[in-house]
Amino acid sequence: MPDNPRTYDYIIAGAGAAGLSLLCYLLEQEPLRNKRILLLDRDAKQTNDRTWCFWQTEESPFESCLKSKWSALYFHSPTFSRLLDISPYQYKMLDSLAFYQHCLGLLKKHPNVEFRQEDIVRVEPNGVVHGKQGVYQAQYVFNSAFFKIKKLPKKHYMVQHFKGIFIKTAKPAFNPAEPTLMDFRVEQHHDCRFMYVLPTNAHEALVEYTGFSETELPQEAYDRELKAYLRDFLHLTEYEITHEESGIIPMTDAPFPKKLSEKVINIGTAGGATKASTGYTFSFIQRQCSAIARNLAQGKEPLAGKGAGFNKFGLYDSIFLRVLLEKKQEPRQVFHDLFSKLPAPLILKFLNEETSFWEDFRIMNAVEKSIFLPAALKESLHV
Ligand SMILES: Cc1cc2nc3c(=O)[nH]c(=O)nc-3n(C[C@H](O)[C@H](O)[C@H](O)COP(=O)(O)OP(=O)(O)OC[C@H]3O[C@@H](n4cnc5c(N)ncnc54)[C@H](O)[C@@H]3O)c2cc1C
């Protein structure tokens, strides 16, 4: 045991989407409001390093940080193009800097919360956190800074990789009410690739080139495809790039342990919040962190009620990853089948893991059975 570690009730190791969401949910709970909380991150969280999108029917606690929201989304495949009504959902775009500022702004009202910009060296199972400048200890440590993806047999490993550019045009070029969730009319290169276009006004949009595959692409491939798409589909050759972002998000059914010990709880991507089949994480982080805060406020263990029972959505993700990896059917055909045959809100509900068995059946009925049934059988038998 190190000499006199500084002690707290909770340490939040990693002040990104999950760490800061958890902070907000903890401070919302009356019994937790005066807990001594330490936030540790190597980064000051003062830059707009990513844009989070998610969909929900209710108001978000971060509604004031939204850059835009929409109630319809375009889907395009080579043979189907439609603006799809997604109500009661709204598709929301959150600027990470606004989110960081909102969450860190709470520190002014809560002197019991401390933020230290510091590299974390390691987190021990007994709740001791070694930073570059100090040693800290808490009743619970919530870790989103460290995770390892284990390579296991019979698990599927892909990544969602993308580059997005924020562009600005002199002349009006976009309809801000008509974003594009997926445009599969682009060359697939025997892979699964699509464009994503989120206009925030008539002159500005985020245009993103995304792939689901085993590895990412060389940087120039994203730039080439973005330029070609803007020219060929949006008829834009003159625009200013005001900001860029890129990312690689794990898409795997390999397990992410929910805790390192009774005292060290993993949250965010580290805690399995990234949906294996889509890479969407933000909504699942909200569910995970609000449940932890509720449990703590009721005097329960942070993960109380999180049973290890059968997770049907985990099985669906594994089947989907297998279908994408085996490529017995062109991957974009799967999305075409879903979006051309089913109401968009049902698909969004399914991807948010909110559907009933009957609704799941409607989803399964829309995809190619000669592809999905053998994949489902193999996944169920673990072969
Ligand atoms: C560019 C980008 C765009 C994305 N867009 C979406 C989206 O639209 N919708 C969606 O649902 N998901 C999206 N994701 C996926 C996911 O929501 C994000 O990755 C999200 O930030 C994950 O939250 P997290 O808290 O687990 O990790 P992070 O937000 O990455 O937070 C981890 C924190 O730990 C800190 N840290 C790491 N190591 C150390 C260390 N050794 N010492 C100190 N600090 C450390 C980091 O600085 C960071 O602040 C996106 C991801 C990226 C990269």
Side-chain angles (χ1 to χ4, degrees):
M1 174 67 64
D3 291 338
N4 301 325
R6 287 192 217 176
T7 57
Y8 297 86
D9 292 303
Y10 309 135
I11 295 174
I12 299 180
L20 291 176
S21 297
L22 179 64
L23 175 71
C24 294
Y25 291 115
L26 292 174
L27 296 177
E28 262 176 21
Q29 296 287 344
E30 186 62 47
L32 307 179
R33 223 159 260 169
N34 295 319
K35 294 284 183 190
R36 295 191 56 235
I37 302 174
L38 172 65
L39 274 172
L40 280 172
D41 203 296
R42 57 155 70 115
D43 191 82
K45 310 311 286 182
Q46 296 297 333
T47 53
N48 186 17
D49 56 4
R50 57 198 66 182
T51 307
W52 290 298
C53 290
F54 54 99
W55 55 93
Q56 57 184 175
T57 53
E58 65 284 1
E59 288 263 295
S60 156
F62 309 110
E63 208 71 13
S64 63
C65 313
L66 295 182
K67 203 166 178 186
S68 268
K69 55 185 176 183
W70 300 272
S71 34
L73 296 167
Y74 253 111
F75 176 87
H76 301 280
S77 74
T79 57
F80 176 83
S81 279
R82 191 166 297 163
L83 183 65
L84 304 161
D85 179 6
I86 60 164
S87 52
Y89 287 101
Q90 283 193 310
Y91 195 77
K92 301 184 175 181
M93 184 195 213
L94 185 63
D95 174 298
S96 59
L97 181 58
F99 170 84
Y100 299 144
Q101 287 175 338
H102 168 83
C103 302
L104 292 174
L106 295 172
L107 269 65
K108 289 191 199 112
K109 279 193 267 165
H110 295 272
N112 50 313
V113 184
E114 186 185 338
F115 176 69
R116 292 181 69 91
Q117 187 180 349
E118 181 170 341
D119 255 301
I120 304 164
V121 181
R122 69 176 191 279
V123 177
E124 290 183 4
N126 60 359
V128 174
V129 178
H130 295 260
K132 269 220 171 122
Q133 294 149 36
V135 182
Y136 314 95
Q137 184 170 27
Q139 183 193 358
Y140 289 115
V141 177
F142 297 99
N143 162 56
S144 58
F146 297 101
F147 68 93
K148 260 201 210 117
I149 300 178
K150 273 197 194 157
K151 275 277 171 195
L152 298 171
K154 296 179 191 158
K155 293 293 174 192
H156 309 300
Y157 299 88
M158 297 183 81
V159 285
Q160 184 197 126
H161 51 94
F162 54 89
K163 175 164 181 178
I165 51 176
F166 288 81
I167 61 166
K168 200 171 186 175
T169 59
K171 291 186 193 148
F174 305 103
N175 181 341
E178 298 187 354
T180 295
L181 182 68
M182 291 176 142
D183 188 343
F184 277 108
R185 293 172 297 176
V186 296
E187 176 58 48
Q188 295 294 287
H189 302 283
H190 307 290
D191 214 340
C192 179
R193 301 189 190 181
F194 58 91
M195 289 286 174
Y196 178 57
V197 184
L198 300 180
T200 48
N201 58 55
H203 296 267
E204 289 175 288
L206 165 63
V207 184
E208 205 159 274
Y209 183 55
T210 304
F212 293 167
S213 49
E214 282 168 86
T215 51
E216 71 268 32
L217 304 174
Q219 270 309 306
E220 56 278 12
Y222 300 97
D223 294 333
R224 192 178 53 239
E225 300 288 341
L226 282 164
K227 199 169 170 186
Y229 182 76
L230 287 166
R231 184 190 60 225
D232 300 342
F233 289 90
L234 304 184
H235 311 295
L236 284 175
T237 47
E238 287 183 21
Y239 47 86
E240 182 196 346
I241 299 178
T242 54
H243 185 69
E244 294 187 354
E245 68 176 40
S246 52
I248 301 173
I249 303 174
M251 292 173 71
T252 177
D253 53 358
F256 287 77
K258 296 210 174 337
K259 54 185 182 181
L260 174 67
S261 67
E262 292 311 311
K263 283 177 159 278
V264 181
I265 310 298
N266 293 329
I267 57 172
T269 297
T274 298
K275 184 160 174 70
S277 57
T278 63
Y280 278 102
T281 312
F282 196 81
S283 297
F284 297 99
I285 285 177
Q286 304 316 309
R287 232 176 263 177
Q288 180 190 57
C289 293
S290 55
I292 289 174
R294 270 195 313 274
N295 280 335
L296 290 171
Q298 291 167 16
K300 298 180 188 166
E301 297 287 311
L303 298 178
K306 268 256 151 234
F310 172 64
N311 171 12
K312 65 174 182 171
F313 292 106
L315 174 62
Y316 302 155
D317 284 338
S318 298
I319 297 168
F320 188 73
L321 289 177
R322 182 184 280 269
V323 168
L324 284 186
L325 284 164
E326 287 183 346
K327 293 188 185 157
K328 290 185 178 158
Q329 179 184 40
E330 202 187 18
R332 70 175 160 188
Q333 185 63 35
V334 179
F335 295 94
H336 166 92
D337 287 344
L338 291 172
F339 282 95
S340 63
K341 293 181 189 172
L342 293 171
L346 175 64
I347 304 168
L348 296 183
K349 193 175 181 191
F350 179 72
L351 296 179
N352 256 5
E353 304 193 348
E354 292 163 341
T355 42
S356 64
F357 272 112
W358 164 241
E359 289 167 321
D360 301 345
F361 176 74
R362 288 184 67 195
I363 299 279
M364 289 167 207
N365 212 26
V367 293
E368 176 56 50
K369 285 167 207 61
S370 66
I371 302 286
F372 273 82
L373 282 178
L377 192 64
K378 284 184 196 159
E379 282 307 322
S380 308
L381 299 173
H382 303 290
V383 291

